[in-house]
Amino acid sequence: MMHYVSESTKEYECVMQVHSDFDQEKLKSVISKFKGKIYQRPPVRSSVSRRLRTRKIFEIEVQEIEGKMVLMRIVSEHGTYMRKICHDVGLMSGYGAHMRELRRTRTGIFDERNLVTMHEVSEAVYMWKNCKDETYLRGMVMPMEIATCGIPKIMVDDNAVNAIAYGAKLTAPGVVGFQEFKKDDLVCVITTKGELVSVGKALVDYRRLAKVDKGEVATTDRVFIDRDVYPRKWGEGNRSSA
C-alpha cells in the first residue's frame, strides 16, 4: 500500500537561500508564477532519468523572509524536486538561489501529527511482549484502509471477494456501491464491511458503471485480502459474481 501512498500529494517546508540582495515583492511575484503546471528536468544528482517532464504545484507561498533566507510552504504532485524549484526561482528572478533546508510535512493524508519516534515504538513493543499490554501499540498501528483515503472506492458483495483475491477482474454483477471516478483512475475495491480487497484501474467511469449489469469494470493490480477469507462461491458455477 505504501507504493500508492508515496505517489500521492506531498507538502514541504523549504528554506531557500538567495545569492544576492533582492526585492521581496519581486521575489514573491516570481515564486507565485510557479503555482500550477510547471516543466522540470530532474537535477544531475537524482535517481531518475533526466527527461523534461511536467509536474503540478498546488500551493506555493512565502511564509517568512529573514536576511537572504526564504521559508516557503509548497504542496505539489509527487516527483517534484524542491531544489530544482529553488534553482529555477533564482534564475527567473535574476538573484540566484539554492535550497538550504527541506522538510516533508505531509504525504497524502499522513502529516506530522501521525508521527511517532522509534523510541516510542520500541517501548510499545516492549509493553506488548513483556507486559501483554497492547494499548500503546494499538495507538500507533493504523488499519491499512486509512491509507486509501482520497482514492475512489468500489464496494463489492461477499460473493465477489474471493474471486478477486485469486486475481479475477471485477465485473458489474459483483458491485453493490461506488463513488465517483473516471475511466483509468486508480480505484480501491472494498467489502461491505469496509475491508480493502484490492487496488486496480477503472475500466469504465462511474456513470457507465451505473448503467451496466455485466462486463469488466476494474482491473486487479494488487490484492490485499487473504484468499479464502470469504466463501469460495465463484468456483461453484458462479464465476459471474466477480
Side-chain angles (χ1 to χ4, degrees), residues 70-81:
V70 181
L71 175 63
M72 299 183 292
R73 173 180 167 272
I74 303 172
V75 181
S76 69
E77 185 180 359
H78 75 278
T80 307
Y81 285 88

Side-chain angles (χ1 to χ4, degrees), residues 28 51 56 64-65 68 73 91 104 121 166 184:
K28 288 179 180 179
R51 294 182 294 104
K56 190 168 185 179
E64 187 177 344
I65 297 177
K68 294 182 180 180
R73 173 180 167 272
L91 288 179
R104 184 186 297 168
V121 174
Y166 275 85
D184 295 328

Side-chain angles (χ1 to χ4, degrees), residues 16-242:
M16 176 178 70
Q17 182 172 348
V18 184
H19 296 167
S20 59
D21 294 335
F22 60 93
D23 178 271
Q24 292 192 8
E25 294 307 313
K26 177 184 175 181
L27 187 68
K28 288 179 180 179
S29 177
V30 170
I31 290 171
S32 69
K33 289 180 171 61
F34 280 75
K35 185 174 181 179
K37 189 169 289 187
I38 65 170
Y39 288 96
Q40 264 202 347
R41 191 183 301 278
V44 175
R45 295 168 60 183
S46 63
S47 59
V48 298
S49 173
R50 298 192 68 237
R51 294 182 294 104
L52 188 66
R53 55 188 185 174
T54 60
R55 285 295 182 266
K56 190 168 185 179
I57 307 298
F58 302 103
E59 297 178 45
I60 183 167
E61 60 179 4
V62 175
Q63 294 187 307
E64 187 177 344
I65 297 177
E66 184 175 325
K68 294 182 180 180
M69 301 297 179
V70 181
L71 175 63
M72 299 183 292
R73 173 180 167 272
I74 303 172
V75 181
S76 69
E77 185 180 359
H78 75 278
T80 307
Y81 285 88
M82 298 300 111
R83 65 179 182 270
K84 191 69 170 64
I85 289 178
C86 293
H87 175 77
D88 291 346
V89 167
L91 288 179
M92 287 183 62
S93 65
Y95 299 126
H98 70 277
M99 187 181 74
R100 183 67 178 269
E101 296 180 27
L102 182 68
R103 188 175 85 246
R104 184 186 297 168
T105 55
R106 179 169 64 85
T107 298
I109 66 164
F110 299 103
D111 58 27
E112 293 183 315
R113 294 172 297 180
N114 307 121
L115 299 180
V116 294
T117 66
M118 291 303 296
H119 182 70
E120 290 171 327
V121 174
S122 176
E123 288 184 333
V125 171
Y126 177 88
M127 293 296 292
W128 167 53
K129 288 185 175 180
N130 296 279
C131 305
K132 309 303 179 185
D133 184 353
E134 301 177 350
T135 306
Y136 301 100
L137 196 58
R138 287 185 177 277
M140 297 176 182
V141 179
M142 299 180 183
M144 175 174 55
E145 286 75 12
I146 290 179
T148 69
C149 290
I151 302 176
K153 310 293 192 302
I154 300 177
M155 183 181 292
V156 298
D157 64 32
D158 291 354
N159 293 338
V161 173
N162 213 39
I164 297 171
Y166 275 85
K169 293 181 180 179
L170 174 63
T171 59
V175 176
V176 297
F178 51 87
Q179 296 176 320
E180 294 185 9
F181 56 85
K182 296 180 291 187
K183 183 180 178 182
D184 295 328
D185 275 357
L186 185 71
V187 291
C188 292
V189 176
I190 62 172
T191 69
T192 55
K193 301 181 183 70
E195 303 157 306
L196 179 62
V197 178
S198 66
V199 174
K201 184 175 69 174
L203 300 176
V204 296
D205 65 23
Y206 77 99
R207 293 185 180 89
R208 176 66 178 163
L209 179 55
K211 298 176 181 178
V212 300
D213 56 9
K214 62 181 180 180
E216 296 174 348
V217 298
T219 64
T220 301
D221 298 338
R222 182 78 181 270
V223 175
F224 292 91
I225 199 165
D226 291 334
R227 295 176 176 181
D228 301 323
V229 171
Y230 279 74
R232 188 174 175 172
K233 295 183 179 180
W234 62 276
E236 301 170 1
N238 189 24
R239 295 178 183 271
S240 63
S241 63

